[in-house]
Amino acid sequence: MTRYQHLANLLAERIEQGLYRSGEKLPSVRALSHEHGVSISTVQEAYRVLENLQLIVPQPRSGYFVAPRKVQPPVPAMSRPVQRPVEITQWDEVLTLLDARSDPAITSFGGGAPDIAQATLKPLWREMSRVVQHHKHDAFSYDDLAGRRELREQIARLMLDNGAVLSADEIIITSGCHSAMAIALLAVCKPGDIVAVESPSFHGTMQMLRGLGIKAIEIPTDPDTGISVEALELAFEQWPIKGVILVPNCNNPLGFVMPDARKRAMLTLAQRHDIVIFEDDVYGELAFDYPRPSTLKSFDIDGRVLLCSSFTKTIAPGLRIGWIAPGRYHDRVLHMKYAASGTNVPTTQMAMTAFIRDGHYHRHLRRMRQSYQHNMDTFTCWVRQYFPCEICVTRPKGGFMLWIELPETVDMVCVAKQLSRLKIQIAPGSLFSASGKYRNCLRINCALPTDERHRQALKQLGEAVQIALEA
């Protein structure tokens, strides 16, 4: 984090805590420069960031003042889903969400695409061109079933950051995290089995379970600490649950990072009931704090955690590179991969290997963490400014997803249909529930540029919510 970003975050915290009150004059540029031992230009840049976030306003010849604004909305309470196995619905609504990707005229707050316009990705594009030009035979041949060994070696090194000590032989390359999770489920479950999930939970995972004929049981989940281990234990005692799907780091859609103590408790519970854990760590590298949080896999001592991840959110979805660390299920997962998808594309694997090996991946990650944290702050400020007061908003610790809870009288499914006429797309909360709960909630993608187009679209979204609330 740069000095001006550090200073901007410090001042923003003081404003949030009420140390600088609404309308109060802030210290002068020169005074802050002296107090923090930084240059005047650093303070000016920090104030520029706060001004863009609409936390402060400049007044000519008078300095900077704390902007008048709404009180910060509270965080949503722990979810209370119906705790019984259900067959998943919502496929038509998810299909509509996916179809919008191909229309550039749509402002899509509902998708999950990362920012792929950063200059830090240029070395990867150059490497892909080099691979095609100089390694035609390898690039257009069949791949090893487990994926290219040199890439698996690089991924094993990356996983040291999350605490998991694995060899290349313990990793299997897939066509993205979605493919990894599907193969993991195929290796362990059969149609009719029951799997526990967080509530709310990623709609892609829900539809995967539906497609595989697996029932889901939603477990109460706290927006700050994650799934309720206590409620999960009660579910284990009541139902023949085969496994549990968890996104413990930078959760989608709630954004929490599960504390290490709860991760250990989760592993202990799974061991006691002999339950499999399917861990989705696709957003883990995008945690705002460094070092990045530990995975459940890093605490796994008996191979019951199948860790699934990819470069879809950290780099680009078009690479189609994911992986599984399947533990005790390695042979079964490799067989299911062969049955379901066969081998992978060598070109992107070769390019990605060089991108990581040459240090470009970590530089890109540092850039994206800063960018997404800035975007998250900006979108949160816009939500606070344009939405009604009666809302709850998550405080994500990483990634780029923001979850908003509205009064129960607001039906975001209906609001979404109205917004589609304005070419604005959102993801209603009902998509993130097996039983269609959370119709009064929505998820927003904060990887979108913080430009005037998206500010105006979010303002229109807030106005539509206000109209629905007053109806």
Side-chain angles (χ1 to χ4, degrees), residues 52-122:
N52 288 340
L53 293 175
Q54 300 181 349
L55 292 176
I56 66 174
V57 291
Q59 293 187 10
R61 300 181 182 179
S62 298
Y64 289 90
F65 292 77
V66 178
R69 60 197 181 94
K70 294 180 181 179
V71 175
Q72 183 165 327
V75 174
M78 178 180 283
S79 62
R80 299 293 182 211
V82 176
Q83 295 177 63
R84 56 179 175 78
V86 297
E87 294 182 358
I88 296 155
T89 57
Q90 316 297 323
W91 168 239
D92 290 340
E93 292 84 350
V94 171
L95 194 59
T96 299
L97 195 71
L98 299 178
D99 287 343
R101 293 174 177 171
S102 60
D103 189 346
I106 293 178
T107 300
S108 178
F109 291 114
D115 179 0
I116 59 173
Q118 296 293 331
T120 46
L121 287 178
K122 288 182 179 179

Side-chain angles (χ1 to χ4, degrees), residues 386-388 456 458-468:
Y386 299 128
F387 277 55
Q456 287 294 336
L458 200 65
K459 183 179 180 181
Q460 289 178 290
L461 172 54
E463 290 170 350
V465 169
Q466 185 67 56
I467 291 172

Side-chain angles (χ1 to χ4, degrees), residues 146 168-172 324 326-335:
D169 292 332
E170 297 175 276
I171 296 170
I172 297 172
I324 314 176
R328 64 168 77 161
Y329 299 96
H330 183 277
D331 293 345
R332 180 69 176 162
V333 164
L334 195 62
H335 188 188

Side-chain angles (χ1 to χ4, degrees), residues 52-54 109 375-387 448-456 458-459 462:
N52 288 340
L53 293 175
Q54 300 181 349
F109 291 114
N375 285 17
M376 192 72 72
D377 291 342
T378 301
F379 274 92
T380 301
C381 285
W382 287 346
V383 166
R384 180 188 299 163
Q385 181 176 359
Y386 299 128
F387 277 55
L448 301 174
T450 53
D451 54 22
E452 184 61 18
R453 174 192 174 189
H454 292 110
R455 187 185 71 82
Q456 287 294 336
L458 200 65
K459 183 179 180 181

Side-chain angles (χ1 to χ4, degrees), residues 177-227:
C177 189
H178 193 87
S179 173
M181 185 62 71
I183 292 169
L185 287 165
L186 281 169
V188 176
C189 302
K190 62 182 183 300
D193 281 346
I194 302 170
V195 169
V197 297
E198 299 152 330
S199 185
S201 188
F202 173 47
H203 59 73
T205 301
M206 292 292 188
Q207 295 307 319
M208 186 187 306
L209 294 174
R210 172 188 169 117
L212 296 176
I214 299 171
K215 294 182 179 181
I217 180 168
E218 298 180 74
I219 305 298
T221 303
D222 186 274
D224 285 326
T225 59
I227 196 166

Side-chain angles (χ1 to χ4, degrees), residues 30-31 66 87 137 140 161 214 217 361 429:
R30 192 171 298 278
V66 178
E87 294 182 358
H137 181 270
F140 294 105
D161 287 342
I214 299 171
I217 180 168
Y361 179 65

